[in-house]
Every structure is written in structure tokens, then in C-alpha cells.
């Protein structure tokens, strides 16, 4: 077999390496139009902040390594300009000399990836101070421009993974950083209530956020943006465009290969295109979501590697069980670790699920441990089945560990009952005996089985404005440090002596710091005939984090006397 691979990064390089392991006699040629192959895409932003000290450290495998270790021929600066399906050849142009030639294939792998979106509607988008981040050459050019021109003010346009990581690393490098995002939040995989923690973290670390704002022009020393019809200027001597990527499908389309509903290359369960001798993987393809039962595109390295292995296996006569994708990801934003998997609430709603969620702020380690901190954890589940649909975790500790557990449960079709009984390892160095994920399952089961009712943090402002009866069961000292303005302070430790103060004819909403004491209070009141008690999911921590950033940036009247983030 002669395999030709177009694209030498995650999908392409993984395919070539897997075929070599399965077929020692195969002839394998990999074409890459860029300068490098097999580099760490996801580590690119960290070169800006000095975490990755040298751009050479971004390179994983060199062409020479591919040849010596795997007998794979790599031709860089070689752009495939056409696929000639009737002849089973590709036309290749040497980027340096401009010379063209044809190369034959038995099997062809398309792994061209996706290219950053640069809207032509933005005036000045082609200016020399506008950069994208796709490869090592891009990131080196950006850093050299900043260093050589003494740039202090940088605008990052787009609040996805690349945008927030570039913003963080530029800020760590001492730059004045503004991030302009067209929607109301950064990091789309997270729900709005959870992402407020990340908004606060960026704001606390000096990144100026402009949300629901659209860049319309790149000027000398600034960008022009618009929000709610109001035009304003953002200081910017350099601009990084990170608003998204578009699949590289021109080569496939020109060859008559079918595209999917989302304009990615259409592939079957073995990642074959409409031509059975041509495969495609990675950012350029359209793949199946087993959560929404629809097709979409997923620009993540992990799925691309698994796709590449599956395609290579099929080329070599091995079978593959394609279960679709879940969508798991994580990111670090300054001190906060954030991870998500499966469906958020907004994604579950869009997909038409009947669902609910719980929001907890438990400690990630026992209290006596010096590095114990709260972790925000949200669990989304189907109603009435209890099937786990997704999770989000944000905190100073191991958010990825908790979300990895949920990703596994989703892959296995797990329910809340399964998660409740899941046996995980324990030491106070690593976590709590009843881990966060177990605790989330217990809370969610209480909601699913109707043990009590809850309201979410985004509903609290409406409760306050409508005069709802709210009980804060924290101790008086905690209450004095900050509380909801209309809340009545009846500490859990004194609850039984003050039952006559709590009405039975209207809903009573209870909260504490993290929902644990308010749950105890709810149970105690229910046991004494109160059937009107509703728990506030997320409690004071959740309310503080939800309200803080919006109050600060939107000029809203606070519903709290003070915010509490501890």
C-alpha cells in the first residue's frame, strides 16, 4: 500500500505513524505546506508567556525523526493543490520554488485542519499588526513583533480556548491585554452561571473584558468595537484574531468529495469520504455527536488522534466501533482550572432534552488540609431517567479529574444512581472521602426524586426584586460580612428556637455558604411540617460569583451588601 497524507500535524501524523505500526512494508509520504510537522498546537500560546521557553520546544517530531524512526517520508513546504481522483494522484507544489509535480497514492488521508477566520468586513484586517495563532511560524511572528516593537497594548478578539490562553500568557508577559468577545461570555462550553468565575478571574488578573462587543476596524494603536450600537476604541498596538476557525475543505470540494451539513468534509463511521480510497480526519471533518444525535465539527486534539487511529486501522483491514464524540475539554485561566464534558444546560436545551442541573461548591479536599479550596461543580442530567448528560467544574484544584470521571460515566451510559455508588480512591492529599462527583449525584437524586425543590442562582435577583422570603442560615458573623439585602438571618444552630418566625403560607428560600447547611435546614423544617421550603442552588458563593461581574460591568444595583468568594 502507498499512503499519501495531506497535513502533518495531529491527524495526519497520527495516521502515518499508526499505518507504519500496522504495515511495515507500506510506502508513506506526508505533505505539509508549512515549515514544521508534528508540533504541539495546544502549547503555542504558552510560548508568549515564557512557560515554553523556546519555540524549538514546540516541535514534537522532526521530518528527520519520522524518516529514521518510522521510515515515513515527510515533505514540508509542499502544498497539495489538487486531488486527481481518476488517476489516483495528487498535484503538489513546492512552496519555495513553485515547481509542481504529481504523486500517486493507493490510499489518501486528508488532514488539512482548519484556518483562523479573518472577516473581511473588519476594516484594516490585513494590517501588519494583525496576527492569528495556528502554527509555530505564527506564534513566533507574533512574539517577535511584540518584542521588536516594544508593544504594550494588545487586543485579543475572541474568547475561545486560543483567545483566553493567548490573553493569559500576554498578561503574564506584562502586556496590557483587552479581550473582545462578540457574545455575552467567554468559553462557550460553559454555562453562563459557571463562566462568571472565569470572567472574574480574568478581570482580577488585569485582562480587560469587552463582552457582547464586535470589532469593526483595526486602526493604528487601537481597534474600533461596537456594543449595543455604541462605538468605542480599545487600545491595541497588536491584534490577535481568535474568533474561530473554518474547516479547510477547498481541496476536498474541488475534487468532488461530499461536504456535510456544517460544511465539514463528510465521512462515514470509518472516516472514509465519498471516495472510499480517500479518508479525512481532524478539524476539517464533520462527525457524529452521540449526545445530540447530530453532526458537527469538533476542533480538539484528542478526538483527532482517535479518528486518525480508526482510519489507519480501517486502511489496514482492522475494525473500529465508532461511538461518536462527547466533547470533553479543559483550560487553565490564571489560577482557575476549568473543565467540561458532554452537554451544558444551553446545549441540552437546544438539543431538546428534558433536563435539570445542580450546582455545588464543596471543598475539593478535607478542611484541615492547607490546600483545600471550594470547587464549583455543575452536573446536568436527564429527567426523568437520571442519565448523566454533562458536567462543568472550576476551581483551584483538580477540575479535570472530576470531569474525566463524568466523561467516563457518559461514555458508559451512566446514571445518577451509578455515579452515587462510584467507588473512587481517597486520601486527604487528593480529595474527600465522599468525592465532589458523588456529592453531586446525591444532590441531583434529591432533585430528581422530588425530595425538595430548588432555584438556580440566575433566579435570585428576581426573587429579591419581587420581595420573596429568603432565609440565610449562616452564623451572624458570616451574615454581617455580606448578605442578600432582603434576607432574614436565622442560623442553622438556632433554627429550632425560631420556627415561629418562618412563614408557612408563602415559599421560603433558604441558603448558606455552599448549600450544605441550607440542605440541613430544609430537612429540619420539612420534618416539622414546613412544605414550602426551597433551596437556592449554589447558595451565597454561587450568588456572589454570578452577580459580581455583571454588577461591576453593567452598573447594576447590587442585591447583596457584599460579595463573598471564600
Amino acid at each position: 500500500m502507498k499512503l499519501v497524507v495531506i497535513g502533518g500535524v495531529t491527524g495526519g501524523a497520527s495516521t502515518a505513524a499508526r499505518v507504519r505500526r500496522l504495515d511495515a512494508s507500506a510506502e508513506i509520504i506526508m505533505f505539509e505546506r508549512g515549515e514544521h510537522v508534528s508540533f504541539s498546537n495546544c502549547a503555542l500560546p504558552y510560548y508568549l508567556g515564557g512557560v515554553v521557553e523556546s519555540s524549538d520546544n514546540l516541535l514534537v517530531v522532526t521530518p528527520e525523526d519520522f524518516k529514521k524512526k518510522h521510515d515515513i517520508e515527510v515533505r514540508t513546504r509542499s502544498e497539495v493543490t489538487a486531488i486527481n481522483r481518476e488517476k489516483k494522484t495528487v498535484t503538489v507544489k513546492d512552496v519555495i520554488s513553485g515547481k509542481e509535480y504529481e504523486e500517486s497514492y493507493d490510499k489518501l488521508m486528508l488532514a488539512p485542519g482548519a484556518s483562523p477566520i479573518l472577516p473581511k468586513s473588519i476594516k484594516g484586517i490585513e494590517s501588519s499588526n494583525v496576527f492569528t495563532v495556528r502554527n509555530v511560524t505564527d506564534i513566533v511572528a507574533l512574539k517577535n513583533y511584540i518584542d521588536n516593537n516594544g508593544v504594550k497594548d494588545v487586543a485579543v478578539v475572541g474568547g475561545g480556548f486560543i483567545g483566553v490562553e493567548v490573553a493569559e500568557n500576554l498578561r503574564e508577559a506584562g502586556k496590557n491585554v483587552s479581550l473582545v468577545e462578540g457574545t455575552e461570555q467567554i468559553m462557550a462550553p460553559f454555562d453562563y452561571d459557571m463562566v462568571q468565575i472565569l470572567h472574574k478571574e480574568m478581570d482580577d488578573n488585569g485582562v480587560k473584558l469587552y463582552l457582547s462587543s464586535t470589532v469593526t476596524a483595526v486602526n493604528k494603536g487601537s481597534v474600533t468595537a461596537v456594543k449595543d450600537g455604541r462605538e468605542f476604541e480599545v487600545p491595541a498596538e497588536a491584534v490577535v484574531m481568535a474568533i474561530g476557525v473554518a474547516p479547510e475543505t477547498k481541496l476536498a470540494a474541488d475534487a468532488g468529495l461530499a461536504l456535510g451539513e456544517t460544511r465539514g468534509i463528510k465521512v462515514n463511521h470509518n472516516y472514509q469520504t465519498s471516495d472510499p480510497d480517500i479518508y479525512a480526519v481532524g478539524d476539517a471533518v464533520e462527525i457524529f455527536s452521540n449526545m445530540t444525535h447530530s453532526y458537527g465539527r469538533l476542533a480538539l486534539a484528542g478526538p483527532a488522534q482517535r479518528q486518525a487511529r480508526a482510519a489507519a486501522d480501517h486502511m489496514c483491514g482492522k475494525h473500529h466501533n465508532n461511538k461518536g464524540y462527547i466533547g470533553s475539554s479543559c483550560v487553565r485561566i490564571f489560577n482557575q482550572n476549568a473543565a467540561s464534558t458532554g452537554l451544558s444546560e444551553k446545549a441540552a436545551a437546544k438539543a431538546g432534552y428534558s433536563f435539570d442541573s445542580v450546582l455545588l461548591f464543596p471543598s475539593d479536599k478535607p478542611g484541615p488540609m492547607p490546600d483545600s479550596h471550594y470547587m464549583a461543580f455543575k452536573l446536568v442530567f436527564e429527567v426523568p431517567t437520571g442519565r448523566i448528560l454533562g458536567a462543568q467544574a472550576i476551581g483551584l484544584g483538580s477540575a479535570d479529574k472530576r470531569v474525566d470521571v463524568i466523561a467516563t460515566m457518559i461514555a458508559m451510559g451512566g446514571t445518577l444512581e451509578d455515579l452515587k455508588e462510584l467507588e473512587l480512591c481517597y486520601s486527604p492529599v487528593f480529595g474527600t472521602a465522599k468525592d465532589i462527583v458523588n456529592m453531586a449525584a446525591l444532590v441531583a437524586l434529591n432533585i430528581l426524586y422530588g425530595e425538595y425543590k430548588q432555584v438556580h442562582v440566575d433566579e435570585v435577583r428576581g426573587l429579591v426584586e419581587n420581595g420573596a422570603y429568603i432565609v440565610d442560615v449562616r452564623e451572624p458573623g458570616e451574615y454581617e460580612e455580606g448578605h442578600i439585602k432582603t434576607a432574614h438571618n436565622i442560623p442553622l444552630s438556632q433554627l429550632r428556637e425560631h420556627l415561629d418566625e418562618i412563614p408557612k403560607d408563602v415559599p421560603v428560600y433558604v441558603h448558606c455558604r455552599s448549600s450544605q447547611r441550607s440542605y440541613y435546614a430544609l430537612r429540619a423544617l420539612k420534618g416539622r411540617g414546613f412544605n414550602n421550603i426551597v433551596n437556592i442552588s449554589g447558595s451565597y458563593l454561587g450568588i456572589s460569583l454570578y452577580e459580581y461581574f455583571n454588577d461591576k460591568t453593567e452598573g447594576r444595583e447590587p442585591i447583596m451588601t457584599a460579595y463573598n468568594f471564600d
Side-chain angles (χ1 to χ4, degrees):
M1 176 177 67
K2 181 177 181 180
L3 170 64
V4 168
V5 179
I6 301 174
V9 194
T10 304
S14 298
T15 301
R18 175 63 175 171
V19 168
R20 171 56 70 228
R21 292 195 296 272
L22 296 177
D23 186 345
S25 63
E27 181 182 358
I28 305 173
I29 303 173
M30 185 159 57
F31 293 106
E32 168 58 46
R33 68 185 173 192
E35 184 180 358
H36 307 100
V37 293
S38 193
F39 56 85
S40 178
N41 306 65
C42 301
L44 294 175
Y46 297 95
Y47 176 58
L48 298 173
V51 177
V52 176
E53 295 182 358
S54 168
S55 61
D56 290 340
N57 294 338
L58 294 167
L59 305 177
V60 180
V61 184
T62 66
E64 292 75 21
D65 289 334
F66 270 113
K67 187 61 179 177
K68 290 178 181 178
K69 296 179 180 179
H70 306 293
D71 192 24
I72 295 171
E73 183 179 350
V74 177
R75 302 177 191 174
T76 58
R77 299 185 183 274
S78 298
E79 181 179 6
V80 176
T81 58
I83 301 170
N84 314 302
R85 291 169 55 193
E86 67 287 350
K87 296 190 294 182
K88 296 192 74 170
T89 67
V90 294
T91 302
V92 185
K93 181 176 73 173
D94 185 303
V95 174
I96 303 300
S97 67
K99 179 183 176 181
E100 288 192 344
Y101 62 95
E102 288 192 7
E103 189 72 47
S104 65
Y105 66 84
D106 296 317
K107 301 292 183 183
L108 178 65
M109 168 56 74
L110 300 181
S115 56
I117 296 172
L118 291 169
K120 294 182 179 180
S121 59
I122 299 177
K123 183 180 178 182
I125 193 67
E126 297 179 355
S127 300
S128 60
N129 65 333
V130 176
F131 297 87
T132 58
V133 176
R134 184 184 185 183
N135 53 40
V136 177
T137 302
D138 289 345
I139 206 71
V140 169
L142 171 59
K143 190 174 189 304
N144 287 345
Y145 183 89
I146 290 173
D147 293 345
N148 295 340
N149 292 279
V151 170
K152 291 295 184 183
D153 299 322
V154 184
V156 179
V157 185
F161 288 95
I162 292 294
V164 298
E165 289 170 348
V166 166
E168 174 193 1
N169 280 277
L170 288 172
R171 185 65 190 143
E172 295 284 14
K175 307 306 175 184
N176 302 319
V177 182
S178 301
L179 192 151
V180 186
E181 165 58 42
T183 68
E184 64 181 0
Q185 68 171 79
I186 63 171
M187 297 306 300
F190 294 87
D191 281 314
Y192 190 69
D193 51 2
M194 292 290 286
V195 85
Q196 300 308 319
I197 306 170
L198 304 181
H199 287 166
K200 179 180 182 299
E201 184 70 8
M202 296 202 80
D203 185 67
D204 287 349
N205 284 277
V207 176
K208 180 68 174 175
L209 289 179
Y210 297 92
L211 303 175
S212 301
S213 301
T214 304
V215 170
T216 59
V218 176
N219 314 307
K220 185 178 180 180
S222 72
V223 297
T224 302
V226 176
K227 179 178 181 179
D228 297 330
R230 180 180 61 86
E231 193 172 86
F232 59 96
E233 299 297 312
V234 177
E237 298 162 277
V239 180
V240 181
M241 294 298 300
I243 63 174
V245 294
E248 291 266 11
T249 58
K250 185 178 185 303
L251 195 62
D254 288 349
L257 300 178
L259 301 184
E261 299 172 9
T262 61
R263 307 309 295 167
I265 300 171
K266 188 174 182 178
V267 294
N268 65 14
H269 65 289
N270 292 313
Y271 302 101
Q272 289 171 297
T273 67
S274 52
D275 184 325
D277 288 325
I278 302 177
Y279 295 72
V281 297
D283 297 357
V285 306
E286 183 179 84
I287 54 177
F288 181 73
S289 165
N290 67 15
M291 302 299 297
T292 63
H293 298 112
S294 62
Y295 285 86
R297 291 184 284 108
L298 189 69
L300 293 173
Q305 286 193 339
R306 293 195 297 277
Q307 294 161 25
R309 183 184 179 93
D313 283 358
H314 189 259
M315 292 178 195
C316 297
K318 296 175 69 69
H319 295 290
H320 164 66
N321 183 15
N322 190 330
K323 294 184 177 181
Y325 71 89
I326 294 171
S328 302
S329 60
C330 59
V331 65
R332 187 197 69 193
I333 300 180
F334 293 102
N335 296 310
Q336 294 287 352
N337 302 313
S340 69
T341 190
L343 300 180
S344 62
E345 280 192 291
K346 58 189 175 187
K350 183 178 180 181
Y353 278 95
S354 171
F355 70 93
D356 205 342
S357 71
V358 292
L359 175 61
L360 296 78
F361 285 82
S363 297
D364 59 1
K365 296 178 183 178
M369 301 303 290
D371 57 347
S372 172
H373 304 284
Y374 76 79
M375 181 172 289
F377 189 86
K378 186 174 191 176
L379 186 65
V380 183
F381 55 93
E382 187 178 45
V383 176
T385 67
R387 182 163 67 100
I388 299 168
L389 299 179
Q392 300 158 51
I394 302 177
L396 302 182
S398 300
D400 58 331
K401 167 186 172 181
R402 273 69 188 206
V403 168
D404 281 344
V405 170
I406 303 301
T408 305
M409 295 296 292
I410 293 173
M412 299 298 179
T415 67
L416 297 176
E417 288 285 0
D418 298 322
L419 184 58
K420 178 188 75 171
E421 295 298 328
L422 195 63
E423 184 177 343
L424 302 171
C425 56
Y426 161 66
S427 161
V429 175
F430 299 107
T432 54
K434 186 185 293 179
D435 192 78
I436 291 169
V437 297
N438 302 120
M439 182 72 72
L442 293 170
V443 175
L445 284 169
N446 280 335
I447 298 301
L448 182 68
Y449 294 156
E451 294 291 330
Y452 65 84
K453 296 180 180 179
Q454 68 173 357
V455 293
H456 299 285
V457 291
D458 61 346
E459 301 174 78
V460 175
R461 177 171 286 271
L463 296 177
V464 173
E465 293 173 347
N466 291 314
Y469 196 94
I470 299 174
V471 176
D472 184 336
V473 302
R474 296 175 301 157
E475 293 302 308
E478 296 174 275
Y479 180 84
E480 290 302 320
E481 289 179 0
H483 58 268
I484 296 173
K485 291 179 178 179
T486 59
H488 305 266
N489 185 214
I490 306 177
L492 176 64
S493 60
Q494 304 172 30
L495 184 67
R496 290 161 182 82
E497 292 80 43
H498 294 272
L499 295 177
D500 58 344
E501 299 176 21
I502 302 174
K504 288 188 174 182
D505 57 345
V506 296
V508 174
Y509 301 89
V510 295
H511 79 84
C512 58
R513 170 186 170 274
S514 64
S515 292
Q516 187 173 57
R517 282 175 288 175
S518 61
Y519 170 67
Y520 296 154
L522 181 149
R523 284 296 193 184
L525 291 169
K526 284 195 69 174
R528 285 163 175 77
F530 288 82
N531 296 313
N532 57 329
I533 311 301
V534 182
N535 199 32
I536 297 177
S537 178
S539 273
Y540 201 79
L541 265 173
I543 301 165
S544 293
L545 289 162
Y546 185 81
E547 294 289 326
Y548 169 80
F549 187 78
N550 284 325
D551 290 351
K552 178 177 179 179
T553 58
E554 302 297 333
R556 302 190 314 187
E557 179 65 27
I559 61 172
M560 314 168 81
T561 61
Y563 309 100
N564 188 331
F565 308 118
D566 300 319

